[in-house]
Amino acid sequence: MALYPNFLGPAYVAQSPIADGERTMNWYAEPAQVPGESPMALYPTPGVTSLVTAGDAPGRAMIAVKDRTFCVMGQTFYEILSTYVLTPKNSSVPMVNDGKPATISWNGDGGGELFITSGNYGYIFDLDPAVDTFTQVRDPAVDGGTTMGAQLDGYFIALDTATSTIYLSDLLDGTTWDATQFQQRSIESDPWVSMAVLNRQLWLLGSLTSEVWFDSGKTPFPFEPHPSGLVLYGCAAPYSTIVTGETLLWLASTSDGIGQVVQTSDFTPDVVSSFALSTALSGYGTIDNAIGDSYSEIGHTFYVLTFPTEQKTWAFDVTPNMALPSPNRWAERGTWISGDNAYEAWHPCYSTYQNNELLVLDWTSGVLYRMSHTVGTDVDGGVIRRLRRAPSLFFENQVVRVSDFELFLEPGLGLNSGQGSDPQVALRISGDGGKTFGNELLSGAGKIGKFGARTRWLRCGSGRRWMPEIVVSDPIPWRLLGASVAIKADSTQARRGGM
């Protein structure tokens, strides 16, 4: 038996899957920070618990402000009480829902207001419990469009992508918008399509290039372009733009094409997407409606990019100081639909923290969830189907015969009863590098307390490119540590010394 080379790894299907056809679905990689038995492990992505279902759908935005939480679902702006009761706050002022994400910004204790954008309109919610009012403050027919909103230094900012214009509210007063307080793009000709605030700087992302503005304190308009703030990456999907920690990530486009994810903390973005991700994106018919989200849990921070039309989700581990190159940090996410025997795009989206809980909406429905690594089930209590397809074993195009394959995982983690009391691993084998697979072969992962259990298969077939795919769906805390393989070499391999 020998260790299976690179059994643990990212989702990486190259242009030729024979070159590399790896898939990693609903796992994430964690390299060891100190020497140990395994240099890396795959751990399970979190599950969700349903808390409440709104009468309006789908989820479109969420924010936690001090000890209060708010969200947009459909045309309704809700406060989420600590008891998970949804309280509508805009009953007399229904919001316009154009099917796109909404945005919510806060101007701090000094202003005490939330600025909500939806359907090209702008709204203000006064957080003072004695006021508690929801008011429309921007109408595209009168005030200019409001594609999305942001807040910087006490000013609310509205971006109109139809005219490449930003509008400014009065300082700490989102109910007042001076008609003279606006600026249009002039540095480059491509239109602004998105914006974000990073490190007290306003990023205005165009379709091909972007600009960084800052608060110079000038009058009458306090913001101006930074002298070094022209960035040669634009934005291919306006709502893919996410600030997480001290970095900004988005799905980028340039004059040379689209299909790269970039990350930056200064004026020079780094491409963090892999060639395999770019290959996948090149096959998608629609990417401009991609939705970005970010969450952190047990030391990891993830940028989650969902493509609603394509029903695909990718996740990038943004965690700093992790000994993995960027291409090795990508994995797929998906919600398994048993009736269709297929994955949909991962349903959780628009996350926030409140009361030491990670709350998340469903971008397809009006459900609010609690998300946690301690939960092993998906939306509607469904299974989380986790898949790892390793690189194929190949030796100079000779036939590889596998007599023994063993999966290294933490055994004995079965549940007391129900599904997961006898957790199983399903193995499928391909002899042609992933072009075709055989039937599933099951092996146990150890009932509760069976810490000596082995997950092993014998007489595992042959092929010139022998590739294993393992699938698990029991709701237990899986820990995948690697694999070993025993190979019977043919006479040619024996003469050459085998593998």
Side-chain angles (χ1 to χ4, degrees):
M1 296 282 284
L3 290 177
Y4 196 112
N6 303 313
F7 181 80
L8 304 180
Y12 197 103
V13 178
Q15 292 186 55
S16 171
I18 290 179
D20 198 348
E22 299 179 65
R23 288 194 69 190
T24 300
M25 174 71 79
N26 293 330
W27 301 94
Y28 68 91
E30 181 177 282
Q33 293 182 314
V34 296
E37 180 178 326
S38 178
M40 187 170 69
L42 291 183
Y43 292 118
T45 52
V48 296
T49 303
S50 177
L51 299 175
V52 65
T53 301
D56 209 349
R60 300 174 57 218
M62 185 158 60
I63 191 173
V65 178
K66 301 178 71 173
D67 58 349
R68 302 175 71 181
T69 308
F70 301 87
C71 69
V72 175
M73 294 194 192
Q75 294 180 303
T76 307
F77 179 70
Y78 292 100
E79 180 168 7
I80 306 169
L81 303 183
S82 60
T83 55
Y84 310 117
V85 173
L86 294 173
T87 304
K89 293 294 182 179
N90 68 315
S91 300
S92 59
V93 187
M95 292 189 298
V96 176
N97 178 8
D98 59 357
K100 298 178 181 179
T103 68
I104 311 174
S105 311
W106 177 42
N107 61 2
D109 289 332
E113 298 168 332
L114 297 179
F115 178 43
I116 304 100
T117 71
S118 177
N120 217 23
Y121 286 76
Y123 309 88
I124 288 292
F125 177 71
D126 195 316
L127 289 164
D128 185 345
V131 181
D132 203 47
T133 56
F134 185 94
T135 308
Q136 179 185 303
V137 294
R138 294 195 58 80
D139 182 328
V142 178
D143 308 295
T146 306
T147 307
M148 59 183 60
Q151 186 276 150
L152 178 58
D153 289 353
Y155 297 95
F156 284 130
I157 305 160
L159 171 64
D160 180 7
T161 56
T163 61
S164 285
T165 304
I166 54 171
Y167 301 91
L168 231 59
S169 74
D170 279 8
L171 182 64
L172 301 176
D173 180 8
T175 64
T176 304
W177 297 75
D178 187 333
T180 65
Q181 292 293 86
F182 71 92
Q183 290 284 346
Q184 284 188 294
R185 184 165 207 194
S186 60
I187 293 177
E188 289 289 346
S189 58
D190 56 301
W192 287 331
V193 298
S194 186
M195 71 174 173
V197 173
L198 174 68
N199 299 329
R200 289 194 62 200
Q201 293 174 328
L202 177 64
W203 281 68
L204 295 165
L205 288 80
S207 60
L208 299 175
T209 62
S210 301
E211 300 171 32
V212 181
W213 291 44
F214 72 106
D215 185 353
S216 66
K218 291 184 177 179
T219 57
F221 198 87
F223 298 144
E224 63 177 301
H226 193 285
S228 302
L230 181 62
V231 177
L232 299 181
Y233 285 94
C235 182
Y239 294 99
S240 68
T241 307
I242 289 292
V243 173
T244 175
E246 296 183 353
T247 65
L248 174 65
L249 296 102
W250 73 93
L251 180 58
S253 61
T254 69
S255 57
D256 297 322
I258 60 176
Q260 293 179 312
V261 175
V262 297
Q263 175 183 3
T264 189
S265 57
D266 52 31
F267 301 145
T268 308
D270 295 317
V271 175
V272 295
S273 52
S274 63
F275 292 140
L277 177 57
S278 295
T279 297
L281 295 182
S282 70
Y284 295 172
T286 303
I287 66 171
D288 60 0
N289 61 350
I291 305 169
D293 190 32
S294 176
Y295 74 92
S296 298
E297 193 178 35
I298 53 175
H300 291 259
T301 299
F302 297 96
Y303 171 65
V304 182
L305 189 59
T306 294
F307 298 85
T309 303
E310 305 300 324
Q311 291 295 320
K312 302 291 185 181
T313 298
W314 291 80
F316 176 68
D317 195 333
V318 190
T319 309
N321 303 319
M322 193 170 70
L324 280 178
S326 294
N328 287 10
R329 298 186 181 203
W330 286 97
E332 296 175 83
R333 301 278 176 99
T335 293
W336 180 251
I337 308 300
S338 298
D340 297 335
N341 198 35
Y343 288 103
E344 289 184 348
W346 204 43
H347 283 209
C349 196
Y350 309 112
S351 57
T352 193
Y353 279 92
Q354 187 64 281
N355 298 325
N356 296 318
E357 291 184 323
L358 177 55
L359 303 179
V360 63
L361 302 180
D362 190 318
W363 69 268
T364 71
S365 68
V367 184
L368 169 72
Y369 304 106
R370 179 192 300 115
M371 190 162 71
S372 172
H373 69 282
T374 64
V375 177
T377 51
D378 209 333
V379 301
D380 299 324
V383 301
I384 303 177
R385 188 175 188 270
R386 310 184 190 279
L387 179 151
R388 171 60 186 162
R389 184 181 297 173
S392 59
L393 295 177
F394 175 77
F395 183 78
E396 297 181 0
N397 213 27
Q398 302 298 317
V399 174
V400 175
R401 294 180 172 84
V402 177
S403 60
D404 194 331
F405 175 75
E406 183 169 0
L407 188 65
F408 299 150
L409 46 73
E410 185 176 345
L413 300 180
L415 305 181
N416 285 315
S417 61
Q419 184 178 0
S421 59
D422 185 15
Q424 299 289 309
V425 181
L427 169 69
R428 292 199 308 159
I429 297 168
S430 172
D432 51 19
K435 296 292 187 179
T436 59
F437 283 88
N439 295 328
E440 289 187 345
L441 306 170
L442 297 180
S443 183
K447 295 183 179 181
I448 187 169
K450 300 296 183 180
F451 302 123
R454 297 176 70 181
T455 304
R456 187 181 180 194
W457 296 263
L458 302 177
R459 297 183 296 276
C460 298
S462 62
R464 299 187 188 279
R465 292 179 171 85
W466 191 91
M467 172 185 283
E469 175 191 272
I470 64 105
V471 172
V472 299
S473 58
D474 288 293
I476 70 169
W478 296 95
R479 280 85 173 90
L480 192 55
L481 306 175
S484 66
V485 63
I487 298 169
K488 290 183 177 180
D490 63 19
S491 58
T492 303
Q493 288 175 294
R495 290 195 300 271
R496 294 169 183 261
M499 293 187 62

